[in-house]
Amino acid sequence: MMSATGSSNIFWHECPVGKVDRQKLLNQQGCVVWITGLSGSGKSTLACSLDRELHSKGKLSYILDGDNVRHGLNKNLGFKPEDRTENIRRVGEVAKLFADAGLICIASLISPYRDDRDACRAMLQDPNFVEVFMNMPLEVCEGRDPKGLYKLARAGKIKGFTGIDDPYEPPLNCEIEIKQKDGVCPAPSEMAVQVVSYLDQKGFLQA
Ligand SMILES: Nc1ncnc2c1ncn2[C@@H]1O[C@H](COP(=O)(O)OP(=O)(O)O)[C@@H](O)[C@H]1O
Ligand SMILES: [Mg+2]
């Protein structure tokens, strides 16, 4: 098969230790927990809470956070649609490597476009991609505005801000939805427990 570089001289090298061997070592199943939602919806908060919860259960996880990844791997990308797509593609590929390493990879990114998220889902084998939708109303996210970005977007000082002048496409059939109950957002530990219960129930927390 021709690679994207146009060269047909690139081969896959099989290594002797496989995913199953690593999973046995870790007593867990490698997978990707993909957290999507508006800025300020609590993605990073859930990622950290989930990471801590898994760690306390002796499970190995690793967070790929959108903001952090843009400091390194993706620092040459901006926020225009092509760059957002490439941002998600790269994080999806890295998350796939972490999952293959046997880790529970927690990816927390706005990832506003459905096609981009679905492309990541397609990269993983299906049960191994767990999409978590932070279904928080825009008013709640905007009210929090911890980084002052909504204020700047409303003032027209940031262009193409998700939820303001760039679309957010909610998942159509995600595995987990986090939402308010009676107008109150669940506490970070409650959100984490919801995800851990799912992972446990699906058998990810044992080899
Ligand atoms: N479950 C929650 N309950 C109350 N406040 C929350 C909750 N989750 C997040 N927050 C607050 O909302 C703000 C945005 O959260 P953050 O995790 O940074 O969002 P995101 O990563 O989606 O942009 C932070 O100030 C955080 O403390
Ligand atoms: Mg964040």
Side-chain angles (χ1 to χ4, degrees), residues 77-181:
L77 300 175
F79 291 87
K80 56 182 196 254
E82 312 87 271
D83 281 8
R84 286 181 187 266
T85 296
E86 177 61 8
N87 181 46
I88 299 310
R89 190 195 66 81
R90 283 186 204 170
V91 172
E93 290 285 3
V94 174
K96 183 180 167 183
L97 294 176
F98 274 108
D100 186 56
L103 275 72
I104 298 166
C105 182
I106 305 166
S108 50
L109 306 96
I110 299 175
S111 44
Y113 307 144
R114 200 174 288 136
D115 281 355
D116 294 348
R117 295 192 304 269
D118 286 347
C120 292
R121 178 185 287 277
M123 268 183 221
L124 275 291
Q125 243 118 42
D126 207 11
N128 299 334
F129 186 86
V130 178
E131 192 171 1
V132 181
F133 174 33
M134 302 300 294
N135 190 1
M136 293 297 145
L138 176 64
E139 307 78 67
V140 170
C141 302
E142 194 168 354
R144 289 173 173 168
D145 205 9
K147 296 172 238 161
L149 299 175
Y150 282 100
K151 216 171 170 197
L152 291 173
R154 288 285 184 199
K157 291 179 182 151
I158 300 178
K159 300 280 181 221
F161 195 76
T162 301
I164 305 298
D165 58 348
D166 208 67
Y168 178 80
E169 302 169 355
L172 297 177
N173 37 24
C174 57
E175 281 71 13
I176 301 173
E177 186 179 357
I178 308 268
K179 56 181 175 190
Q180 293 183 309
K181 290 185 192 88

Side-chain angles (χ1 to χ4, degrees), residues 38-45 47 65-68 108-110 146-147:
L38 293 170
S39 178
S41 60
K43 300 179 299 297
S44 302
T45 303
D65 191 88
D67 281 338
N68 298 352
S108 50
L109 306 96
I110 299 175
K147 296 172 238 161

